[in-house]
């Protein structure tokens, strides 16, 4: 990778998020970051994005009565399916 | 005595299985979960239904190692992957997504940033407590090209092993990482433009 290339650095930063950065690249990108404040900022923002993504993944599991949910009709339909299957006289 | 105690414990956990309560207690959550991964109301509803049916069939195998909710979410995750796998059979990766020049357009011919990353303020983490931020996050995710977004969701949201994703989506490992990188860059740019450009950067 080219030590002066922000494009290469951005790819390397991305790879580092997945623990896929080779030792050699790691050294080059470290040097690049020393002299490039733009990529330093980019790296911070990618780390922030990673954290936000992890939080986003768990959002649906949090209780939020006001948020979207199943429609009432669907709930009734699903409830009926479960009850019908539950009913021993049906089997 | 100890064995006895454990049995009682298992019975107690087993009592937590109550299909009659599933729709009321977990229905909305399962739906939200499916929506966050698929984004289509009808598909999400179908997947919730399939999840509940599948759970009903395997109530006996519920071991009580996890909560009822965690168990249902795990089933839903498998249903989601099955759904994506079926979709895959119908549509192959479009050429457009293979040759995506969008990421390249961020850099000039000397491979420097065309427009340098913007300042996101001293405390971007405050945004994580803002509901509008999450709604935008959802929107931005929706703007990513389909296959790229699927790869991103499976890997970054559901923590699926790379190998598994490659099998489901029928792509190479190399392709997988490229797509995840591109998806991240798009998400980054989308949040940058629509959130951090204005007042939230302060």
């Amino acid at each position: 990778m080219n030590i002066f290339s922000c494009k290469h650095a951005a790819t390397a930063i991305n790879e580092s998020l997945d623990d896929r950065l080779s030792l050699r690249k790691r050294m080059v990108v470290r040097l690049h970051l020393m002299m490039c404040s733009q990529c330093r900022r980019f790296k911070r923002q990618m780390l922030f994005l990673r954290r936000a993504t992890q939080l986003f993944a768990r959002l649906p599991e949090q209780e939020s009565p006001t948020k979207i949910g199943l429609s009432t009709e669907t709930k009734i339909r699903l409830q009926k399916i479960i009850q019908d299957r539950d009913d021993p006289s049906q089997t | 005595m100890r064995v006895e105690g454990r049995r009682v414990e298992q019975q107690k956990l087993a009592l937590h299985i109550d299909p009659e309560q599933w729709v009321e207690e977990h229905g909305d959550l399962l739906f939200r979960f499916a929506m966050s991964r698929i984004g289509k109301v009808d598909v999400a509803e179908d997947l919730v239904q399939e999840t509940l049916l599948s759970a009903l069939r395997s109530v006996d195998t519920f071991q009580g190692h996890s909560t009822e909710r965690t168990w249902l979410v795990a089933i839903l995750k498998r249903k989601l992957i099955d759904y994506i796998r079926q979709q895959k059979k119908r549509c192959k990766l479009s050429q457009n997504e293979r040759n995506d020049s969008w990421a390249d357009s961020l850099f000039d011919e000397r491979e420097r940033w065309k427009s340098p990353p913007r300042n996101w303020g001293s405390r971007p983490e405050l945004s994580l407590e803002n509901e509008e931020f999450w709604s935008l996050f959802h929107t931005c995710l929706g703007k990513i090209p389909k296959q790229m977004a699927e790869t991103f969701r499976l890997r970054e949201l559901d923590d699926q092993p790379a190998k598994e994703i490659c099998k489901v989506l029928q792509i190479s490992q190399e392709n997988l990482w490229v797509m995840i990188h591109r998806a991240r860059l798009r998400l980054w740019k989308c949040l940058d433009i629509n959130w951090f450009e204005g007042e939230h950067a302060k």
Side-chain angles (χ1 to χ4, degrees), chain A residues 5-7 14 18 20 41 45 50 52 60-63 68-70 74-75 77 79 83 86, chain B residues 20 23 28-29 31-32 37 45 49 69 104 111-113 116-120 134 177 184 188:
Chain A
S5 163
C6 293
K7 192 177 167 181
N14 244 317
D18 307 311
R20 294 175 57 249
R41 180 178 278 174
Q45 295 179 350
R50 153 65 56 92
E61 292 173 52
Q62 282 163 13
E63 286 303 339
I68 51 162
L70 288 168
T74 310
K75 277 190 183 171
R77 183 167 55 83
Q79 191 66 36
Q83 268 157 1
D86 249 11
Chain B
E20 299 264 329
V23 175
D28 287 338
L29 172 125
F31 178 73
R32 282 202 300 276
R37 304 300 195 263
E45 285 187 343
Q49 176 168 335
R69 171 165 289 189
D104 293 338
E111 303 198 339
R112 314 293 298 227
W113 294 99
R118 220 191 303 267
N119 184 3
W120 282 9
W134 294 115
W177 295 116
R184 277 194 198 127
W188 168 72

Side-chain angles (χ1 to χ4, degrees), chain B residues 29-162:
Chain B
L29 172 125
L30 293 171
F31 178 73
R32 282 202 300 276
F33 196 97
M35 279 300 284
S36 77
R37 304 300 195 263
I38 296 285
K40 289 183 200 148
V41 175
D42 52 337
V43 178
E45 285 187 343
D46 282 352
L47 288 171
V48 172
Q49 176 168 335
E50 278 182 41
T51 301
L52 295 180
L53 287 177
S54 171
L56 273 180
R57 281 193 297 271
S58 50
V59 163
D60 297 340
T61 65
F62 181 74
Q63 299 281 316
H65 294 314
S66 58
T67 64
E68 190 180 61
R69 171 165 289 189
T70 314
W71 179 65
L72 289 171
V73 170
I75 296 175
L76 174 60
K77 279 188 184 176
R78 283 201 299 276
K79 295 286 168 201
L80 279 161
I81 292 184
D82 286 347
Y83 171 77
I84 292 168
R85 186 178 284 140
Q86 279 165 14
Q87 290 296 97
K88 262 325 96 178
K89 282 184 190 146
R90 265 176 267 150
C91 57
K92 287 266 180 248
L93 179 54
S94 68
Q95 271 307 312
N96 286 352
E97 283 193 49
R98 264 184 212 286
N99 312 316
D100 176 64
S101 60
W102 182 86
D104 293 338
S105 74
L106 293 171
F107 303 93
D108 62 21
E109 68 282 1
R110 288 168 55 233
E111 303 198 339
R112 314 293 298 227
W113 294 99
K114 247 185 214 163
S115 55
R118 220 191 303 267
N119 184 3
W120 282 9
S122 52
R123 304 193 60 195
E125 67 276 10
L126 287 180
S127 305
L128 303 177
E129 288 157 30
N130 190 326
E131 264 191 44
E132 282 172 51
F133 174 80
W134 294 115
S135 143
L136 176 67
F137 196 98
H138 197 270
T139 309
C140 286
L141 208 49
K143 284 186 184 163
I144 300 174
K146 192 163 174 287
Q147 173 128 33
M148 223 179 265
E150 268 171 2
T151 316
F152 181 84
R153 284 188 165 106
L154 287 171
R155 179 67 210 161
E156 302 280 87
L157 301 188
D158 291 337
D159 216 16
Q160 295 291 333

